[in-house]
Amino acid sequence: MANGCDHPAACHTGEAPVLASATVGARHWLLIEHPGPWAASLDRCRLPGAMRTLLDRAAALGIRGQLIRRPGSRKAAPGPIHVFVASSRSEEPWVAEGFFENPNDLDLDALGHGVVPESCILVDKPVFLVCTHGKRNACCARLGLPLARHLAASLPGEVWETTHVGGDRYAANLVCLPHGLYYGSMSQAAAIAAAHAYRRGEVVLDRFRGRAGIPEPLQAAEHFTRVHTGELSVDGVAVESSWAEGDATVCVVRCTSQRGLSRFRVVVEPTVFSAPCGETCAEAISTYRLAGLSPLMPVST
């Protein structure tokens, strides 16, 4: 059996808070199609030399590497290496696709700077990743596999199973690229709703973990601003500046909507949620609470 599920109770039911838990280090992405088997970690996976070279180069440049496969498929794809590359933190996030015989033909230095490699072609559809990495955590396979297949049936060609995305306790996990939006503790219905909202350029706040590549307190500030304003457009809310005041983080958050531009002073503080995991234990989950939110400079357009 794969590694056991370490978070069997509230963590996977939606009872535990998931906000502000997206992977902070994922700003640029390299996705390599490989059917598996996938070991518990990428560095232990048995891969063709060219794939290993790409992953090692990506890691050295701070690019997030993932293995992907079609939902339900374990057949090796013939021909050259199939990759997607994406930038979540560019001014205009993007995702592109490429096929390579020689790994040196993929310009990862360009990707590391948020620039589309010349050897890749931009795609106009999102890429949805569902973590099904059972060797990492059994819950990711138990919950992720049926979700990936269900979502793929609704959005054929846009959904991929993937290796660990961060946050096993939030399985099933869904990542929406190119923006790097993370969702956790997803049911099949919730995944369908989130995916279709993303295709409209919106987020769904229920089970929304945050946006990758942003420090967790800033993810929390964006989340609470969306709750306060009701603004759901993907790019409609962003932290402009932040600073620490003791344990708290103070943020200036911009909100752009059809009503105009507003700015808010948002203060968030770390806190702990105790998730019951049985009769004799409780798991403490680090999260954030809203300590203050006030308008700064509403501007009508």
Side-chain angles (χ1 to χ4, degrees):
M1 181 178 174
N3 293 341
C5 184
D6 298 325
H7 312 284
C11 308
H12 299 310
T13 64
E15 296 175 38
V18 303
L19 68 95
S21 63
T23 300
V24 172
R27 300 172 62 87
H28 310 297
W29 303 74
L30 169 65
L31 317 177
I32 302 177
E33 184 175 2
H34 181 268
W38 297 338
S41 60
L42 286 185
D43 59 356
R44 296 180 181 178
C45 289
R46 293 185 177 181
L47 301 173
M51 290 186 185
R52 174 58 61 196
T53 296
L54 281 175
L55 285 173
D56 290 346
R57 286 173 52 206
L61 294 168
I63 296 167
R64 175 101 187 178
Q66 299 282 146
L67 299 178
I68 60 173
R69 62 193 175 203
R70 289 295 185 188
S73 174
R74 298 297 183 269
K75 294 182 179 180
I81 300 172
H82 178 209
V83 309
F84 289 97
V85 290
S87 178
S88 296
R89 300 306 301 144
S90 298
E91 185 174 344
E92 293 289 339
W94 54 264
V95 60
E97 185 176 23
F99 296 85
F100 300 92
E101 295 283 1
N102 185 341
N104 293 324
D105 291 338
L106 176 56
D107 187 355
L108 290 178
D109 290 309
L111 173 59
H113 288 91
V115 177
V116 182
E118 290 185 358
S119 50
C120 294
I121 299 175
L122 286 170
V123 297
D124 58 3
K125 292 183 178 180
V127 172
F128 297 103
L129 304 178
V130 178
C131 180
T132 60
H133 200 166
K135 287 290 180 67
R136 176 82 182 210
N137 188 288
C139 289
C140 294
R142 180 174 63 83
L143 300 173
L145 283 168
L147 187 146
R149 292 168 183 167
H150 184 78
L151 190 59
S154 177
L155 298 170
E158 298 180 22
V159 181
W160 297 82
E161 295 181 23
T162 193
T163 47
H164 178 64
V165 296
D168 296 333
R169 62 162 53 96
Y170 303 116
N173 281 299
L174 171 69
V175 180
C176 309
L177 293 176
H179 286 82
L181 306 185
Y182 270 59
Y183 288 88
S185 302
M186 296 297 275
S187 65
Q188 294 179 5
I192 292 288
H196 283 285
Y198 184 60
R199 296 175 94 250
R200 298 192 305 269
E202 296 180 348
V203 302
V204 175
L205 288 182
D206 182 37
R207 309 185 193 192
F208 181 47
R209 291 180 57 188
R211 186 164 173 172
I214 300 175
E216 291 174 351
L218 277 58
Q219 295 180 38
E222 290 190 7
H223 180 93
F224 291 125
T225 301
R226 289 186 184 279
V227 172
H228 177 75
T229 63
E231 181 56 43
L232 298 178
S233 63
V234 170
D235 295 316
V237 176
V239 174
E240 293 186 327
S241 61
S242 65
W243 61 93
E245 291 187 356
D247 291 336
T249 301
V250 182
C251 301
V252 174
V253 184
R254 181 190 71 247
C255 179
T256 306
S257 68
Q258 294 180 347
R259 298 186 297 273
L261 172 67
S262 299
R263 286 184 173 85
F264 298 88
R265 181 181 186 271
V266 183
V267 184
V268 298
E269 294 178 344
T271 187
V272 173
F273 171 85
S274 293
C277 295
E279 295 181 359
T280 60
C281 73
E283 183 192 13
I285 299 175
S286 297
T287 184
Y288 292 86
R289 74 174 190 90
L290 179 63
L293 190 155
S294 56
L296 283 177
M297 188 181 65
V299 178
S300 300
T301 59

